[in-house]
Amino acid sequence: MVAGPLGTLSSMALFIGLTGGIGSGKSAASAEFEKLGITVVDADVVAREVVAPGQPALHRIAEHFGPEFILADGTLDRARLRARIFSDSDAKSWLEQLLHPIIRDAIIEQLHIAASPYAILVSPLLFETNQHELVARSILVDVPETIQIERASQRDENSTEQIRKIMATQMSRDNKRQRADYILDNSADLTGLHEQVRALHKKLLSAAQNTIDT
Ligand code: ATP
């Protein structure tokens, strides 16, 4: 395959980023795109896949941090690793330098094998990381912070304080609203979200058509 302009490959596919804060409705929106036949690549899922048993990155982590970071069933001890990088900034940057390029390559690979007219990359940190460089346009699933906290706490039984802490590590709502090309307002019910997804899908299909034509 031949690399095309940013966010596209060999004039075949248009790549679209989908982001939003914790509990904003990214999964709800991407499930609707999937129903419409669109391939969705989830950056969080890819991040777990690249450290699955048998993957070279898991081996490197065990070599660097020690075999005690691998659980009896061969999977990564995420809690232990989280605790380690929380208290050790060198360890954190070593891990990021190892994983970020591997995750990025795996995302690119998965987007490129998408068979749909356009493909979506879902990432909670699309703008905060360099992942926005992989897509031609971006969608923000947007809700006021009060709704974000309410929905995220109902779903995860996380305390409001824990959710606020996670929100503090994410880019501000205003900043994301300025950077996004499309905004899905998820402050009402799921029917409203699904309608907006279907309308946007039509626009993206014609954008994908134009990508092929040009
Ligand atoms: P995270 O980044 O934390 O994984 P997310 O952005 O993927 O979250 P979802 O999991 O889609 O968000 O939504 C958060 C919760 O809110 C879920 O329990 C979901 O069912 C619910 N939810 C999403 N949209 C709506 C809506 N419009 N009305 C009511 N509940 C909703």
Side-chain angles (χ1 to χ4, degrees), residues 125-194:
L125 299 174
L126 186 80
F127 296 131
E128 291 87 338
T129 65
N130 53 12
Q131 286 169 353
H132 68 276
E133 294 167 5
L134 304 177
V135 296
R137 299 183 192 179
S138 56
I139 305 168
L140 174 67
V141 185
D142 186 46
V143 287
E145 290 179 355
T146 45
I147 296 185
Q148 232 184 308
I149 293 169
E150 188 186 303
R151 289 186 186 153
S153 55
Q154 273 172 10
R155 186 197 52 192
D156 302 338
E157 292 176 2
N158 268 342
S159 69
T160 304
E161 196 195 336
Q162 279 168 315
I163 293 162
R164 280 191 194 282
K165 269 190 195 160
I166 294 170
M167 284 166 69
T169 67
Q170 302 182 332
M171 188 183 279
S172 76
R173 181 182 175 202
D174 277 354
N175 207 343
K176 280 191 276 213
R177 284 177 62 92
Q178 278 170 22
R179 296 184 65 160
D181 297 295
Y182 307 104
I183 294 181
L184 299 172
D185 175 0
N186 191 26
S187 53
D189 60 11
L190 281 171
T191 312
L193 177 69
H194 294 163

